[in-house]
Amino acid sequence: MRGKGDRELQVQCFVKHDADQIFTAENVPRLLYVSRQRLDASRHPRIMHAHEDYTEVVLITEGSSNYLVDDRQYAVKKGDLLVYNPGIVHDEVAGEGAEVETWCVAVGGLRMPGLRENALLPDDRGCVFRADVLFEEMDALCGLMFRLLSGQLAGAATYSHGLMLSFLTMALAVAEHQDQSLIESEEEESVIGNRVKKYIDAHFREPLTLQMIADALNVSTYYMAHVFKDMSGYAPMTYLQKRRIGEAQTLLIHTKKSISDIAFSLGYDAQSHFNQQFSKHVGMPPGEFRKQYVVGKKEK
């Protein structure tokens, strides 16, 4: 019998089953980026936006906040895993006591069986899950990918690709054990609220007024505004502004377009008005945001 103070000289863990091949030659995802948001960075949130050609997987590592994902509000906290399929509008609500620290892994090139291109999960599966026993491992994988890529080491992309496959496999396991399939409501108010959202999402780059939206959907402005705020938590024009500012952040990060070009492409008739709205929602002017958002080469 081994005593409590005895230590094993050697430990081996055997693989008992062949590994399931989730990602094959026909479905090789591509790691686009890994980003980190510290608690204090939540004061300058990534405003409402969507990605049309890739999926983001976000791991909440500290804090708590409220997120709007598509047309639902979620209270998120440490240990939550969020999956944003392409085209899913998402928004972090900043404010006192609503700060979070996160990892975000963006992946393109997904061709999961039976799903639309670049989607990781079925659209009716839900998007917020508890990482539970896999949290520490997923946190560690994100940290290692980030350090490799931000350090610009030789072979970093190759190493990170393998780590990404492990991270995605864990994300799929987490989602599989917490099926949140949604039952669509056919109530009139739900239908109208979703019509308003889809209209704004399709036309937010154009000059819009509350009356123009109501006329396009053939409803009264009062009823439309009431229904939409009950559904999303935002007045329609606030949602419109946040969609524009979120898109502006995307353009500031991923393109070299001038601030004035970005402002005019999003329906603002004056750059000064755009700058004012951007600072109101993000907490800093667009030029400063562009400088600070991308990780510097020296950051480890």
Side-chain angles (χ1 to χ4, degrees):
M1 179 179 294
R2 183 179 291 117
K4 291 184 178 180
D6 294 341
R7 298 179 61 188
E8 296 181 8
L9 297 179
Q10 190 178 57
V11 178
Q12 282 182 280
C13 294
F14 290 91
V15 177
K16 297 180 179 180
H17 305 283
D18 291 338
D20 294 329
Q21 299 300 315
I22 297 174
F23 301 105
T24 64
E26 292 75 31
N27 177 26
V28 181
R30 184 175 67 259
L31 179 61
L32 302 179
Y33 58 79
V34 179
S35 64
R36 174 177 59 182
Q37 176 179 276
R38 297 188 180 93
L39 281 173
D40 56 357
S42 295
R43 301 167 194 163
H44 309 291
R46 186 73 168 85
I47 302 297
M48 188 182 295
H49 64 290
H51 309 287
E52 297 303 325
D53 54 359
Y54 59 91
T55 283
E56 281 188 335
V57 184
V58 174
L59 183 67
I60 311 292
T61 57
E62 289 292 343
S64 61
S65 185
N66 293 308
Y67 279 25
L68 175 71
V69 184
D70 210 7
D71 59 354
R72 297 184 64 190
Q73 293 267 0
Y74 296 89
V76 301
K77 59 184 182 298
K78 178 179 178 178
D80 282 344
L81 185 75
L82 293 81
V83 179
Y84 302 137
N85 275 345
I88 299 298
V89 177
H90 47 285
D91 180 40
E92 173 193 335
V93 180
E96 189 70 26
E99 295 182 344
V100 291
E101 185 172 86
T102 67
W103 290 115
C104 177
V105 177
V107 182
L110 284 163
R111 293 178 178 83
M112 304 295 287
L115 303 186
R116 59 193 177 94
E117 188 172 359
N118 285 311
L120 181 65
L121 297 175
D123 289 319
D124 63 353
R125 176 66 61 83
C127 57
V128 181
F129 311 92
R130 292 295 295 166
D132 290 333
V133 296
L134 290 177
F135 170 75
E136 291 186 1
E137 285 71 21
M138 298 182 80
D139 184 20
L141 285 170
C142 289
L144 185 51
M145 284 188 284
F146 185 84
R147 288 193 296 274
L148 288 168
L149 294 170
S150 63
Q152 299 190 343
L153 302 175
T158 300
Y159 307 145
S160 297
H161 176 79
L163 296 169
M164 172 204 65
L165 295 180
S166 296
F167 179 79
L168 291 181
T169 301
M170 290 182 183
L172 288 169
V174 166
E176 181 180 353
H177 289 90
Q178 300 172 59
D179 194 338
Q180 297 181 349
S181 297
L182 303 176
I183 300 175
E184 295 292 334
S185 171
E186 293 299 326
E187 294 180 3
E188 179 185 4
E189 291 189 352
S190 176
V191 172
I192 292 175
N194 277 290
R195 286 179 62 204
V196 174
K197 178 186 176 299
K198 288 179 180 179
Y199 187 85
I200 296 176
D201 287 342
H203 299 278
F204 69 89
R205 297 176 182 84
E206 306 166 14
L208 286 179
T209 65
L210 194 64
Q211 189 63 57
M212 290 169 65
I213 300 171
D215 289 346
L217 300 178
N218 196 29
V219 294
S220 75
T221 56
Y222 174 80
Y223 181 61
M224 176 191 73
H226 172 75
V227 167
F228 186 77
K229 187 166 186 178
D230 278 353
M231 181 190 81
S232 69
Y234 295 119
M237 299 311 288
T238 301
Y239 183 89
L240 171 64
Q241 287 295 344
K242 291 177 76 69
R243 282 294 275 125
R244 287 175 171 174
I245 297 303
E247 181 68 14
Q249 287 179 307
T250 298
L251 294 173
L252 288 166
I253 295 167
H254 295 292
T255 77
K256 295 183 179 180
K257 289 185 177 181
S258 69
I259 293 174
S260 60
D261 284 347
I262 290 173
F264 295 135
S265 71
L266 293 174
Y268 293 96
D269 55 6
Q271 184 181 331
S272 58
H273 183 213
F274 167 69
N275 290 348
Q276 180 187 50
Q277 289 295 321
F278 192 97
S279 297
K280 173 184 174 182
H281 288 282
V282 182
M284 64 174 66
E288 186 66 20
F289 176 84
R290 173 173 263 170
K291 289 178 184 177
Q292 293 195 16
Y293 192 87
V294 178
V295 175
K297 291 183 179 180
K298 295 183 180 179
E299 175 148 357
K300 298 290 191 291

Short mmCIF file of all heavy atoms in Angstrom, two decimals, residues 16-65:
data_model
loop_
_atom_site.label_atom_id
_atom_site.label_comp_id
_atom_site.label_asym_id
_atom_site.label_seq_id
_atom_site.Cartn_x
_atom_site.Cartn_y
_atom_site.Cartn_z
N LYS A 16 -6.97 6.51 -25.06
CA LYS A 16 -7.79 5.31 -25.05
C LYS A 16 -8.64 5.14 -26.30
O LYS A 16 -9.12 4.05 -26.59
CB LYS A 16 -8.69 5.31 -23.81
CG LYS A 16 -7.91 5.28 -22.50
CD LYS A 16 -8.83 5.27 -21.30
CE LYS A 16 -8.05 5.23 -19.99
NZ LYS A 16 -8.95 5.24 -18.80
N HIS A 17 -8.87 6.25 -27.02
CA HIS A 17 -9.71 6.17 -28.22
C HIS A 17 -9.07 7.01 -29.32
O HIS A 17 -8.37 8.00 -29.05
CB HIS A 17 -11.12 6.70 -27.94
CG HIS A 17 -11.80 6.03 -26.79
ND1 HIS A 17 -12.35 4.78 -26.89
CD2 HIS A 17 -12.02 6.44 -25.51
CE1 HIS A 17 -12.87 4.43 -25.73
NE2 HIS A 17 -12.69 5.43 -24.87
N ASP A 18 -9.32 6.62 -30.56
CA ASP A 18 -8.85 7.43 -31.68
C ASP A 18 -9.51 8.80 -31.64
O ASP A 18 -10.69 8.93 -31.28
CB ASP A 18 -9.17 6.75 -33.01
CG ASP A 18 -8.35 5.48 -33.22
OD1 ASP A 18 -7.28 5.37 -32.58
OD2 ASP A 18 -8.78 4.62 -34.01
N ALA A 19 -8.77 9.83 -32.02
CA ALA A 19 -9.31 11.19 -32.00
C ALA A 19 -10.34 11.38 -33.10
O ALA A 19 -10.16 10.89 -34.23
CB ALA A 19 -8.18 12.20 -32.17
N ASP A 20 -11.44 12.06 -32.79
CA ASP A 20 -12.43 12.41 -33.80
C ASP A 20 -11.87 13.52 -34.68
O ASP A 20 -11.34 14.52 -34.18
CB ASP A 20 -13.73 12.89 -33.14
CG ASP A 20 -14.42 11.78 -32.37
OD1 ASP A 20 -14.28 10.62 -32.78
OD2 ASP A 20 -15.09 12.09 -31.37
N GLN A 21 -11.99 13.37 -35.99
CA GLN A 21 -11.48 14.36 -36.93
C GLN A 21 -12.57 15.36 -37.28
O GLN A 21 -13.36 15.15 -38.20
CB GLN A 21 -10.94 13.67 -38.19
CG GLN A 21 -9.79 12.71 -37.93
CD GLN A 21 -8.60 13.41 -37.32
OE1 GLN A 21 -8.20 14.50 -37.76
NE2 GLN A 21 -8.01 12.80 -36.29
N ILE A 22 -12.66 16.44 -36.51
CA ILE A 22 -13.68 17.46 -36.75
C ILE A 22 -13.31 18.33 -37.94
O ILE A 22 -14.14 18.66 -38.79
CB ILE A 22 -13.87 18.32 -35.49
CG1 ILE A 22 -14.38 17.46 -34.33
CG2 ILE A 22 -14.83 19.48 -35.75
CD1 ILE A 22 -14.46 18.18 -33.01
N PHE A 23 -12.03 18.70 -38.01
CA PHE A 23 -11.57 19.58 -39.07
C PHE A 23 -10.73 18.77 -40.05
O PHE A 23 -9.66 18.27 -39.71
CB PHE A 23 -10.77 20.74 -38.49
CG PHE A 23 -11.57 21.56 -37.51
CD1 PHE A 23 -11.34 21.45 -36.15
CD2 PHE A 23 -12.56 22.41 -37.95
CE1 PHE A 23 -12.09 22.19 -35.24
CE2 PHE A 23 -13.31 23.15 -37.06
CZ PHE A 23 -13.08 23.04 -35.70
N THR A 24 -11.24 18.63 -41.28
CA THR A 24 -10.61 17.80 -42.30
C THR A 24 -10.08 18.67 -43.43
O THR A 24 -10.14 19.89 -43.37
CB THR A 24 -11.63 16.79 -42.86
OG1 THR A 24 -12.69 17.53 -43.52
CG2 THR A 24 -12.23 15.95 -41.74
N ALA A 25 -9.59 18.02 -44.47
CA ALA A 25 -9.02 18.75 -45.60
C ALA A 25 -10.05 19.66 -46.26
O ALA A 25 -9.72 20.69 -46.84
CB ALA A 25 -8.46 17.77 -46.62
N GLU A 26 -11.35 19.27 -46.17
CA GLU A 26 -12.40 20.09 -46.77
C GLU A 26 -12.84 21.23 -45.84
O GLU A 26 -13.61 22.10 -46.23
CB GLU A 26 -13.63 19.22 -47.10
CG GLU A 26 -13.41 18.22 -48.22
CD GLU A 26 -12.56 17.03 -47.78
OE1 GLU A 26 -12.63 16.68 -46.59
OE2 GLU A 26 -11.82 16.49 -48.63
N ASN A 27 -12.38 21.19 -44.60
CA ASN A 27 -12.81 22.18 -43.62
C ASN A 27 -11.62 22.57 -42.75
O ASN A 27 -11.49 22.13 -41.61
CB ASN A 27 -13.94 21.61 -42.75
CG ASN A 27 -14.38 22.57 -41.66
OD1 ASN A 27 -14.23 23.78 -41.79
ND2 ASN A 27 -14.90 22.03 -40.57
N VAL A 28 -10.73 23.38 -43.33
CA VAL A 28 -9.55 23.83 -42.59
C VAL A 28 -9.75 25.29 -42.23
O VAL A 28 -9.60 26.18 -43.08
CB VAL A 28 -8.27 23.66 -43.43
CG1 VAL A 28 -7.06 24.11 -42.62
CG2 VAL A 28 -8.11 22.21 -43.85
N PRO A 29 -10.13 25.59 -40.99
CA PRO A 29 -10.35 26.99 -40.62
C PRO A 29 -9.05 27.79 -40.62
O PRO A 29 -7.96 27.23 -40.50
CB PRO A 29 -10.94 26.89 -39.20
CG PRO A 29 -10.51 25.56 -38.70
CD PRO A 29 -10.38 24.66 -39.88
N ARG A 30 -9.20 29.08 -40.71
CA ARG A 30 -8.06 29.99 -40.79
C ARG A 30 -8.13 30.97 -39.63
O ARG A 30 -9.12 31.67 -39.46
CB ARG A 30 -8.10 30.73 -42.14
CG ARG A 30 -6.91 31.64 -42.41
CD ARG A 30 -6.99 32.22 -43.80
NE ARG A 30 -8.12 33.15 -43.96
CZ ARG A 30 -9.27 32.87 -44.53
NH1 ARG A 30 -9.50 31.66 -45.01
NH2 ARG A 30 -10.22 33.78 -44.63
N LEU A 31 -7.09 31.02 -38.82
CA LEU A 31 -7.03 31.96 -37.71
C LEU A 31 -6.76 33.36 -38.25
O LEU A 31 -5.76 33.59 -38.92
CB LEU A 31 -5.93 31.55 -36.72
CG LEU A 31 -5.73 32.46 -35.50
CD1 LEU A 31 -6.99 32.52 -34.64
CD2 LEU A 31 -4.54 31.98 -34.66
N LEU A 32 -7.66 34.29 -37.96
CA LEU A 32 -7.52 35.66 -38.46
C LEU A 32 -6.85 36.57 -37.44
O LEU A 32 -5.96 37.34 -37.78
CB LEU A 32 -8.90 36.22 -38.84
CG LEU A 32 -9.67 35.42 -39.88
CD1 LEU A 32 -11.02 36.06 -40.15
CD2 LEU A 32 -8.87 35.30 -41.18
N TYR A 33 -7.28 36.48 -36.20
CA TYR A 33 -6.63 37.27 -35.15
C TYR A 33 -7.05 36.77 -33.77
O TYR A 33 -8.05 36.06 -33.62
CB TYR A 33 -6.95 38.76 -35.27
CG TYR A 33 -8.40 39.16 -35.24
CD1 TYR A 33 -9.11 39.24 -34.04
CD2 TYR A 33 -9.09 39.46 -36.42
CE1 TYR A 33 -10.44 39.61 -34.02
CE2 TYR A 33 -10.43 39.82 -36.40
CZ TYR A 33 -11.09 39.91 -35.19
OH TYR A 33 -12.42 40.27 -35.16
N VAL A 34 -6.26 37.13 -32.78
CA VAL A 34 -6.58 36.92 -31.38
C VAL A 34 -6.46 38.27 -30.70
O VAL A 34 -5.44 38.95 -30.85
CB VAL A 34 -5.61 35.91 -30.71
CG1 VAL A 34 -5.95 35.73 -29.23
CG2 VAL A 34 -5.64 34.58 -31.44
N SER A 35 -7.50 38.69 -30.00
CA SER A 35 -7.45 39.98 -29.33
C SER A 35 -7.73 39.82 -27.84
O SER A 35 -8.38 38.87 -27.41
CB SER A 35 -8.46 40.97 -29.94
OG SER A 35 -9.78 40.52 -29.74
N ARG A 36 -7.21 40.76 -27.06
CA ARG A 36 -7.39 40.75 -25.62
C ARG A 36 -7.98 42.08 -25.20
O ARG A 36 -7.56 43.14 -25.65
CB ARG A 36 -6.03 40.56 -24.93
CG ARG A 36 -6.10 40.67 -23.41
CD ARG A 36 -4.76 40.39 -22.77
NE ARG A 36 -3.72 41.29 -23.23
CZ ARG A 36 -2.45 41.23 -22.83
NH1 ARG A 36 -2.08 40.28 -22.00
NH2 ARG A 36 -1.56 42.08 -23.28
N GLN A 37 -8.97 42.04 -24.33
CA GLN A 37 -9.54 43.25 -23.75
C GLN A 37 -9.39 43.18 -22.23
O GLN A 37 -9.89 42.26 -21.60
CB GLN A 37 -11.02 43.40 -24.09
CG GLN A 37 -11.68 44.60 -23.41
CD GLN A 37 -13.13 44.75 -23.78
OE1 GLN A 37 -13.47 45.31 -24.80
NE2 GLN A 37 -14.00 44.21 -22.93
N ARG A 38 -8.69 44.14 -21.68
CA ARG A 38 -8.54 44.20 -20.23
C ARG A 38 -9.77 44.87 -19.61
O ARG A 38 -10.56 45.51 -20.30
CB ARG A 38 -7.29 44.98 -19.85
CG ARG A 38 -5.98 44.35 -20.34
CD ARG A 38 -4.79 45.09 -19.75
NE ARG A 38 -3.53 44.51 -20.19
CZ ARG A 38 -2.86 44.95 -21.24
NH1 ARG A 38 -3.33 45.94 -21.97
NH2 ARG A 38 -1.72 44.39 -21.58
N LEU A 39 -9.90 44.75 -18.29
CA LEU A 39 -11.06 45.31 -17.60
C LEU A 39 -11.19 46.80 -17.86
O LEU A 39 -12.28 47.29 -18.17
CB LEU A 39 -10.94 45.06 -16.09
CG LEU A 39 -11.32 43.66 -15.60
CD1 LEU A 39 -10.99 43.54 -14.12
CD2 LEU A 39 -12.80 43.39 -15.82
N ASP A 40 -10.08 47.54 -17.75
CA ASP A 40 -10.19 48.99 -17.91
C ASP A 40 -10.49 49.40 -19.35
O ASP A 40 -11.00 50.50 -19.60
CB ASP A 40 -8.92 49.70 -17.41
CG ASP A 40 -7.66 49.20 -18.10
OD1 ASP A 40 -7.75 48.27 -18.93
OD2 ASP A 40 -6.58 49.73 -17.81
N ALA A 41 -10.23 48.51 -20.31
CA ALA A 41 -10.53 48.82 -21.71
C ALA A 41 -12.02 48.79 -21.99
O ALA A 41 -12.48 49.29 -23.02
CB ALA A 41 -9.81 47.85 -22.64
N SER A 42 -12.81 48.18 -21.08
CA SER A 42 -14.26 48.14 -21.26
C SER A 42 -14.87 49.54 -21.25
O SER A 42 -16.00 49.73 -21.69
CB SER A 42 -14.92 47.31 -20.15
OG SER A 42 -14.53 45.96 -20.24
N ARG A 43 -14.12 50.50 -20.73
CA ARG A 43 -14.62 51.88 -20.75
C ARG A 43 -14.64 52.44 -22.16
O ARG A 43 -15.26 53.48 -22.42
CB ARG A 43 -13.74 52.75 -19.86
CG ARG A 43 -13.69 52.28 -18.40
CD ARG A 43 -12.58 52.96 -17.64
NE ARG A 43 -12.33 52.30 -16.37
CZ ARG A 43 -11.23 52.46 -15.64
NH1 ARG A 43 -10.28 53.28 -16.07
NH2 ARG A 43 -11.08 51.83 -14.49
N HIS A 44 -13.95 51.78 -23.07
CA HIS A 44 -13.93 52.17 -24.48
C HIS A 44 -14.37 50.96 -25.30
O HIS A 44 -13.57 50.32 -25.97
CB HIS A 44 -12.53 52.63 -24.89
CG HIS A 44 -11.94 53.65 -23.97
ND1 HIS A 44 -12.43 54.94 -23.88
CD2 HIS A 44 -10.93 53.56 -23.07
CE1 HIS A 44 -11.72 55.61 -22.99
NE2 HIS A 44 -10.81 54.79 -22.48
N PRO A 45 -15.66 50.63 -25.24
CA PRO A 45 -16.13 49.33 -25.76
C PRO A 45 -16.10 49.24 -27.28
O PRO A 45 -16.07 50.24 -28.00
CB PRO A 45 -17.58 49.28 -25.26
CG PRO A 45 -17.98 50.72 -25.16
CD PRO A 45 -16.75 51.44 -24.70
N ARG A 46 -16.09 48.00 -27.74
CA ARG A 46 -16.26 47.71 -29.16
C ARG A 46 -17.76 47.72 -29.40
O ARG A 46 -18.48 46.81 -29.01
CB ARG A 46 -15.65 46.34 -29.46
CG ARG A 46 -15.63 45.99 -30.94
CD ARG A 46 -14.59 46.80 -31.69
NE ARG A 46 -14.40 46.24 -33.02
CZ ARG A 46 -15.16 46.53 -34.06
NH1 ARG A 46 -16.15 47.39 -33.95
NH2 ARG A 46 -14.94 45.97 -35.23
N ILE A 47 -18.24 48.79 -30.05
CA ILE A 47 -19.68 49.04 -30.19
C ILE A 47 -20.31 48.05 -31.17
O ILE A 47 -19.65 47.35 -31.93
CB ILE A 47 -19.90 50.50 -30.63
CG1 ILE A 47 -19.28 51.47 -29.62
CG2 ILE A 47 -21.38 50.82 -30.80
CD1 ILE A 47 -19.89 51.40 -28.25
N MET A 48 -21.61 48.04 -31.18
CA MET A 48 -22.44 47.13 -31.97
C MET A 48 -21.92 46.97 -33.41
O MET A 48 -21.77 47.94 -34.14
CB MET A 48 -23.86 47.69 -32.01
CG MET A 48 -24.90 46.81 -32.62
SD MET A 48 -26.49 47.69 -32.61
CE MET A 48 -26.79 47.83 -30.84
N HIS A 49 -21.66 45.71 -33.77
CA HIS A 49 -21.15 45.44 -35.12
C HIS A 49 -21.39 43.97 -35.47
O HIS A 49 -21.81 43.18 -34.62
CB HIS A 49 -19.65 45.76 -35.21
CG HIS A 49 -18.80 44.91 -34.34
ND1 HIS A 49 -18.80 45.02 -32.96
CD2 HIS A 49 -17.92 43.92 -34.63
CE1 HIS A 49 -17.95 44.15 -32.45
NE2 HIS A 49 -17.41 43.46 -33.43
N ALA A 50 -21.11 43.62 -36.70
CA ALA A 50 -21.22 42.24 -37.17
C ALA A 50 -20.09 41.99 -38.16
O ALA A 50 -19.53 42.92 -38.75
CB ALA A 50 -22.57 42.01 -37.84
N HIS A 51 -19.74 40.72 -38.32
CA HIS A 51 -18.73 40.31 -39.30
C HIS A 51 -19.40 39.39 -40.30
O HIS A 51 -20.01 38.40 -39.92
CB HIS A 51 -17.57 39.59 -38.61
CG HIS A 51 -17.01 40.34 -37.44
ND1 HIS A 51 -16.24 41.47 -37.58
CD2 HIS A 51 -17.13 40.13 -36.11
CE1 HIS A 51 -15.90 41.92 -36.39
NE2 HIS A 51 -16.43 41.13 -35.48
N GLU A 52 -19.29 39.73 -41.57
CA GLU A 52 -20.04 38.99 -42.58
C GLU A 52 -19.34 37.72 -43.05
O GLU A 52 -19.99 36.84 -43.60
CB GLU A 52 -20.30 39.90 -43.80
CG GLU A 52 -21.17 41.10 -43.48
CD GLU A 52 -22.51 40.73 -42.87
OE1 GLU A 52 -23.07 39.68 -43.27
OE2 GLU A 52 -23.00 41.46 -42.00
N ASP A 53 -18.03 37.60 -42.85
CA ASP A 53 -17.32 36.48 -43.46
C ASP A 53 -16.44 35.71 -42.48
O ASP A 53 -15.51 35.01 -42.89
CB ASP A 53 -16.48 36.96 -44.65
CG ASP A 53 -15.54 38.10 -44.28
OD1 ASP A 53 -15.55 38.53 -43.11
OD2 ASP A 53 -14.78 38.53 -45.16
N TYR A 54 -16.69 35.82 -41.19
CA TYR A 54 -15.97 34.98 -40.23
C TYR A 54 -16.72 34.93 -38.91
O TYR A 54 -17.65 35.70 -38.67
CB TYR A 54 -14.53 35.46 -40.02
CG TYR A 54 -14.34 36.88 -39.52
CD1 TYR A 54 -14.28 37.15 -38.14
CD2 TYR A 54 -14.17 37.94 -40.40
CE1 TYR A 54 -14.07 38.44 -37.67
CE2 TYR A 54 -13.96 39.22 -39.94
CZ TYR A 54 -13.90 39.47 -38.58
OH TYR A 54 -13.70 40.74 -38.12
N THR A 55 -16.30 33.99 -38.07
CA THR A 55 -16.90 33.80 -36.74
C THR A 55 -15.94 34.28 -35.67
O THR A 55 -14.72 34.10 -35.79
CB THR A 55 -17.22 32.30 -36.52
OG1 THR A 55 -18.40 31.95 -37.24
CG2 THR A 55 -17.46 31.99 -35.05
N GLU A 56 -16.49 34.89 -34.63
CA GLU A 56 -15.71 35.26 -33.44
C GLU A 56 -16.14 34.38 -32.27
O GLU A 56 -17.34 34.16 -32.06
CB GLU A 56 -15.92 36.72 -33.06
CG GLU A 56 -15.14 37.71 -33.90
CD GLU A 56 -15.24 39.11 -33.34
OE1 GLU A 56 -16.23 39.44 -32.64
OE2 GLU A 56 -14.33 39.92 -33.62
N VAL A 57 -15.16 33.90 -31.51
CA VAL A 57 -15.43 33.16 -30.27
C VAL A 57 -14.80 33.95 -29.14
O VAL A 57 -13.60 34.20 -29.15
CB VAL A 57 -14.85 31.74 -30.32
CG1 VAL A 57 -15.24 30.97 -29.06
CG2 VAL A 57 -15.35 30.99 -31.57
N VAL A 58 -15.62 34.36 -28.17
CA VAL A 58 -15.18 35.23 -27.09
C VAL A 58 -15.26 34.49 -25.76
O VAL A 58 -16.29 33.88 -25.45
CB VAL A 58 -16.04 36.52 -27.03
CG1 VAL A 58 -15.67 37.36 -25.82
CG2 VAL A 58 -15.87 37.32 -28.32
N LEU A 59 -14.19 34.56 -24.97
CA LEU A 59 -14.15 33.96 -23.65
C LEU A 59 -14.06 35.08 -22.61
O LEU A 59 -13.14 35.89 -22.65
CB LEU A 59 -12.94 33.03 -23.52
CG LEU A 59 -12.80 32.26 -22.20
CD1 LEU A 59 -13.94 31.23 -22.06
CD2 LEU A 59 -11.44 31.55 -22.13
N ILE A 60 -15.03 35.14 -21.70
CA ILE A 60 -15.03 36.13 -20.63
C ILE A 60 -14.14 35.62 -19.50
O ILE A 60 -14.43 34.58 -18.91
CB ILE A 60 -16.45 36.40 -20.09
CG1 ILE A 60 -17.44 36.66 -21.23
CG2 ILE A 60 -16.43 37.55 -19.09
CD1 ILE A 60 -17.23 37.93 -21.97
N THR A 61 -13.06 36.34 -19.21
CA THR A 61 -12.10 35.86 -18.21
C THR A 61 -12.19 36.59 -16.88
O THR A 61 -11.68 36.09 -15.87
CB THR A 61 -10.66 35.98 -18.75
OG1 THR A 61 -10.40 37.33 -19.12
CG2 THR A 61 -10.47 35.07 -19.96
N GLU A 62 -12.81 37.76 -16.85
CA GLU A 62 -13.03 38.49 -15.61
C GLU A 62 -14.23 39.40 -15.78
O GLU A 62 -14.55 39.84 -16.89
CB GLU A 62 -11.81 39.35 -15.22
CG GLU A 62 -10.59 38.58 -14.76
CD GLU A 62 -10.79 37.89 -13.42
OE1 GLU A 62 -11.74 38.26 -12.69
OE2 GLU A 62 -10.00 36.96 -13.11
N GLY A 63 -14.89 39.73 -14.65
CA GLY A 63 -15.93 40.73 -14.63
C GLY A 63 -17.28 40.25 -15.12
O GLY A 63 -17.51 39.05 -15.34
N SER A 64 -18.18 41.20 -15.33
CA SER A 64 -19.53 40.90 -15.81
C SER A 64 -20.08 42.13 -16.53
O SER A 64 -19.64 43.25 -16.29
CB SER A 64 -20.45 40.53 -14.64
OG SER A 64 -20.57 41.60 -13.73
N SER A 65 -21.04 41.91 -17.41
CA SER A 65 -21.63 43.00 -18.18
C SER A 65 -22.91 42.49 -18.82
O SER A 65 -23.32 41.35 -18.62
CB SER A 65 -20.65 43.50 -19.25
OG SER A 65 -21.17 44.63 -19.92
#
